[in-house]
């Protein structure tokens, strides 16, 4: 057996000991962030031996993308994470080079062992060569790479420079893998099967892009939930979306995925490469990287945390719920509510255009959540303006148009780094439930229990700031508004 290069692991661990800064501004308390350096996609999400494991794309040495390692952390509640030693270090020729490394992949338990299946990326004549590799562990902490790596190369006619991000599952006693690929200028998801995780057979291209779904499908994910099968992916160069799903049925014999509904998991600017997994209770949970790449429209720089040696944060873990029509809702996992402390609750409020509703100041730097239930039928207002983190110079606006049934989040005045607006529609109904979660540098908004979600990084200025609700063009009826914060230790549930 080929032991994981202990010297390479030790090098990372001793670097970390002297690199971790004592105090970080914008640091989230409930969202996962790296101990130092750069983080992108979540990898290898799995519930193994009684704990949640989160692996992630990591460059420990610099707060910029670079040779990719797999960082590793565990949690009992999906909110509070403990860092573990680095799981994968790019120390083999098939993952060498400044643009190379151990790229994204997934994890699966088999016969008590934890297997990681990942893309090894290296370079030849300036072009990436991407192949799939396996590593395993008996304790879920120390991993060995399979000496027979790579276990899979791109099948013809697909290019080996864009063949990555394997996601594995079990079905009828076989292992299956979906891999992101490119065919000409279209993204594709390729399906493989294996009896043992080492020998892989190409079945078919499950699905591929139309004119708007991008030129490469990164981080595909496949699962069955409720009545349907789902294929999630993050399209490169899509003119419309940065995360998408298709729902339909996979024919395991032909390998073709016939889909009839498409959707978006999150309409914000910062939700990429979502990966899902099932926990012991059968919940399907999804975690994504709260960021976007430089090549995407509206990319807005990496923000100020790089000055403190770190960059990157995961979204709050969400539970996927399948709706009858094939759509997915993605509310935060129930552990979030269980960790929340109620600070205030008011019911039956009427806000008139002349007197806004000021919220009591929330201390800097702590995570908080607001929940409001807007009685749309009883309101005559055209719009609810929710102005957050207002210092005078900086503020972030959430504009709910009760006429158009749209939410627009305007970040043009949020801070010295952010700009742009995102907009989405919400369902026509008698009332609208809104959950606003903020933690350090990430604003996540959930409408109607995750039917519509939006994630955006912002960097509110420290100091005195106000949150205020205004009714525009008429009165606004709020059935309820509650504010919560989160203690360091998890406290008992309020609801
Ligand atoms: C997605 C991605 C993956 C790749 C990884 C490299 O964000 O580009 O396709 O495996 O990041 O870090």
């Amino acid at each position: 057996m080929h032991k994981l290069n202990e010297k390479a692991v030790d090098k990372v661990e001793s670097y970390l000991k002297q690199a971790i800064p004592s105090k970080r501004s914008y640091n989230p308390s409930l969202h996962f962030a790296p101990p130092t350096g750069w983080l992108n996609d979540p990898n290898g999400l799995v519930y193994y031996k009684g704990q949640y494991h989160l692996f992630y794309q990591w460059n420990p040495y610099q707060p910029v993308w670079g040779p990719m390692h797999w960082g590793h952390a565990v949690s009992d509640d999906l909110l509070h994470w403990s860092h573990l030693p680095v799981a994968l270090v790019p120390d083999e020729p098939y993952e060498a080079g400044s643009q190379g490394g151990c790229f994204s992949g997934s994890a699966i338990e088999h016969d008590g062992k934890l297997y990681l299946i990942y893309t090894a990326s290296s370079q030849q004549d300036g072009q990436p060569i991407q192949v799939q590799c396996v590593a395993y562990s008996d304790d879920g902490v120390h991993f060995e790479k399979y000496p027979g790596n790579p276990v899979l190369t791109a099948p013809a006619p697909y290019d080996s420079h864009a063949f990555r991000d394997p996601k594995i599952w079990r079905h009828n006693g076989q292992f299956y893998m979906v891999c992101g690929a490119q065919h000409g200028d279209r993204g594709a998801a390729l399906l493989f099967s294996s009896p043992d995780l080492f020998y892989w057979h190409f079945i078919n291209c499950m699905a591929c892009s139309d004119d708007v779904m991008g030129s490469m499908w990164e981080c595909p994910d496949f699962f069955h939930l409720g009545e349907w099968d789902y294929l999630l992916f993050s399209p490169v160069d899509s003119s419309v979306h940065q995360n998408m799903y298709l729902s339909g049925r996979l024919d395991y014999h032909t390998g073709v995925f016939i889909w009839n509904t498409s959707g978006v998991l999150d309409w914000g600017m910062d939700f990429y490469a979502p990966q899902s997994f099932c926990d012991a209770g059968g919940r399907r949970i999804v975690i994504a990287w709260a960021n976007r790449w430089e090549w995407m429209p509206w990319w807005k720089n990496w923000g100020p945390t790089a000055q403190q040696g770190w960059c990157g944060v995961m979204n709050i873990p969400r539970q996927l719920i399948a709706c009858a029509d094939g759509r997915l809702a993605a509310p935060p996992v129930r552990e979030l509510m269980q960790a929340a402390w109620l600070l205030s609750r008011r019911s039956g409020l009427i806000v008139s255009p002349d007197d806004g509703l000021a919220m009591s100041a929330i201390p800097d730097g702590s995570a908080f959540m607001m929940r409001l239930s807007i009685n749309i039928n009883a309101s005559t207002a055209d719009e609810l303006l929710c102005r957050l983190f207002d210092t005078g110079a900086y503020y972030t606006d959430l504009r709910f148009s009760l006429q158009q049934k749209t939410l627009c989040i305007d970040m043009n005045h949020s801070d010295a780094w952010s700009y742009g607006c995102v907009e989405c529609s919400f369902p026509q109904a008698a009332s609208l439930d809104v959950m606003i979660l903020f933690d350090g540098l990430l604003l996540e908004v959930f409408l109607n229990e995750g039917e519509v979600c939006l994630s955006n990084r912002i960097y509110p200025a420290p100091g005195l700031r106000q949150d205020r609700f205004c009714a525009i063009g008429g009165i606004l009826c709020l059935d309820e508004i509650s504010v919560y914060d989160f203690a360091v230790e998890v406290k008992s549930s309020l609801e």
Side-chain angles (χ1 to χ4, degrees):
M1 283 289 174
H2 176 257
K3 280 270 170 216
L4 177 63
N5 184 336
E6 278 167 14
K7 271 202 190 136
V9 173
D10 287 350
K11 189 178 153 211
V12 176
E13 296 309 315
S14 40
Y15 173 76
L16 284 183
K17 282 198 187 103
Q18 50 84 36
I20 299 174
S22 49
K23 187 168 171 3
R24 315 201 302 191
S25 36
Y26 307 108
N27 200 44
S29 53
L30 301 168
H31 290 69
F32 182 77
T36 188
W38 165 272
L39 163 151
N40 57 290
D41 315 350
N43 295 151
L45 301 178
V46 67
Y47 188 74
Y48 177 69
K49 295 192 173 164
Q51 281 192 307
Y52 295 101
H53 287 250
L54 164 67
F55 300 86
Y56 56 96
Q57 290 286 279
W58 187 32
N59 178 7
Y61 300 114
Q62 282 182 304
V64 292
W65 191 86
M68 282 290 106
H69 296 54
W70 273 38
H72 188 190
V74 282
S75 171
D76 294 325
D77 66 358
L78 293 161
L79 302 176
H80 302 88
W81 296 91
S82 309
H83 297 292
L84 287 182
V86 60
L88 296 177
V89 177
D91 58 352
E92 294 288 344
Y94 49 73
E95 53 210 13
S98 60
Q99 300 292 303
C102 304
F103 280 16
S104 285
S106 52
I108 197 163
E109 180 175 355
H110 177 43
D111 289 341
K113 284 189 180 215
L114 189 58
Y115 286 77
L116 307 182
I117 323 284
Y118 67 100
T119 299
S121 193
S122 59
Q123 278 128 271
Q124 222 170 59
D125 305 326
Q127 279 280 11
I129 303 288
Q130 302 189 328
V131 293
Q132 315 316 323
C133 290
V134 176
Y136 30 73
S137 164
D138 287 322
D139 61 3
V141 179
H142 304 95
F143 289 87
E144 292 168 36
K145 289 179 189 163
Y146 174 51
N149 277 341
V151 295
L152 182 62
T153 55
Y158 300 94
D159 278 329
S160 56
H161 70 258
F163 177 53
R164 57 181 182 271
D165 310 337
K167 178 73 198 290
I168 309 259
W169 71 99
R170 252 191 213 89
H171 177 78
N172 282 348
Q174 286 274 317
F175 294 103
Y176 288 86
M177 173 201 292
V178 59
C179 244
Q182 183 169 49
H183 194 208
D185 59 357
R186 289 179 177 223
L190 307 185
L191 181 68
F192 302 84
S193 70
S194 169
D196 58 6
L197 296 169
F198 299 110
Y199 169 78
W200 289 96
H201 160 73
F202 176 49
I203 306 178
N204 210 338
C205 172
M206 280 170 75
C208 76
S209 179
D210 62 9
D211 291 340
V212 294
M213 290 188 205
S215 61
M216 158 76 197
W217 286 0
E218 297 194 312
C219 301
D221 190 353
F222 178 85
F223 52 88
H224 181 82
L225 192 65
E227 298 291 306
W228 302 101
D229 295 328
Y230 290 85
L231 180 65
L232 301 187
F233 55 90
S234 297
V236 174
D237 290 336
S238 162
S239 49
V240 240
H241 301 308
Q242 59 166 331
N243 63 84
M244 287 197 71
Y245 64 84
L246 307 176
S247 57
R249 274 223 206 291
L250 173 63
D251 179 334
Y252 278 88
H253 296 291
T254 60
V256 175
F257 180 62
I258 313 274
W259 60 274
N260 40 44
T261 304
S262 69
V264 168
L265 271 188
D266 190 294
W267 295 86
M269 289 195 188
D270 295 309
F271 187 91
Y272 196 71
Q275 185 176 97
S276 77
F277 71 106
C278 238
D279 76 355
R283 286 188 294 178
R284 182 146 296 266
I285 295 167
V286 71
I287 301 182
W289 173 43
N291 226 318
R292 59 173 43 201
W293 289 109
E294 303 99 312
W295 48 262
M296 294 178 179
W298 290 111
W299 178 76
K300 55 181 181 194
N301 71 56
W302 297 119
T305 64
Q307 288 153 18
Q308 299 162 20
W310 65 287
C311 184
V313 60
M314 295 299 176
N315 294 86
I316 205 75
R318 303 172 185 183
Q319 182 177 354
L320 292 177
I321 312 280
C323 308
D325 62 359
R327 294 193 180 278
L328 289 173
V333 289
R334 60 170 177 267
E335 286 82 349
L336 184 74
M337 247 359 260
Q338 289 166 352
W341 271 123
L342 183 63
L343 293 179
S344 65
R345 174 176 288 157
R346 286 184 270 178
S347 311
L349 289 180
I350 297 187
V351 186
S352 75
D354 312 321
D355 56 347
L357 176 69
M359 307 300 294
S360 46
I362 290 165
D364 276 354
S366 60
F368 73 89
M369 176 165 75
M370 285 185 203
R371 301 195 71 164
L372 49 150
S373 176
I374 308 173
N375 188 330
I376 294 192
N377 274 3
S379 300
T380 58
D382 297 326
E383 187 177 304
L384 160 62
L385 169 67
C386 177
R387 179 159 289 186
L388 301 179
F389 314 113
D390 189 359
T391 59
Y394 291 122
Y395 51 86
T396 299
D397 280 346
L398 274 60
R399 280 190 224 104
F400 295 86
S401 163
L402 305 189
Q403 300 299 324
Q404 311 295 325
K405 309 280 183 278
T406 54
L407 164 60
C408 169
I409 304 186
D410 183 342
M411 288 157 286
N412 284 309
H413 307 280
S414 292
D415 50 60
W417 296 271
S418 306
Y419 63 92
C421 298
V422 286
E423 189 170 292
C424 67
S425 305
F426 54 80
Q428 183 101 29
S431 65
L432 180 70
D433 282 320
V434 182
M435 180 196 276
I436 300 170
L437 176 66
F438 182 76
D439 187 11
L441 73 178
L442 186 59
L443 179 68
E444 289 169 290
V445 179
F446 301 90
L447 305 183
N448 290 346
E449 294 294 328
E451 249 180 73
V452 178
C453 313
L454 300 98
S455 303
N456 293 291
R457 274 178 308 127
I458 50 169
Y459 301 92
L464 202 59
R465 54 201 198 190
Q466 274 271 320
D467 299 311
R468 206 175 167 73
F469 290 65
C470 299
I472 296 174
I475 59 145
L476 185 82
C477 301
L478 294 177
D479 286 341
E480 188 166 305
I481 177 158
S482 343
V483 182
Y484 303 80
D485 75 355
F486 297 88
V488 173
E489 78 274 31
V490 177
K491 297 171 193 164
S492 61
S493 169
L494 287 152
E495 289 187 345

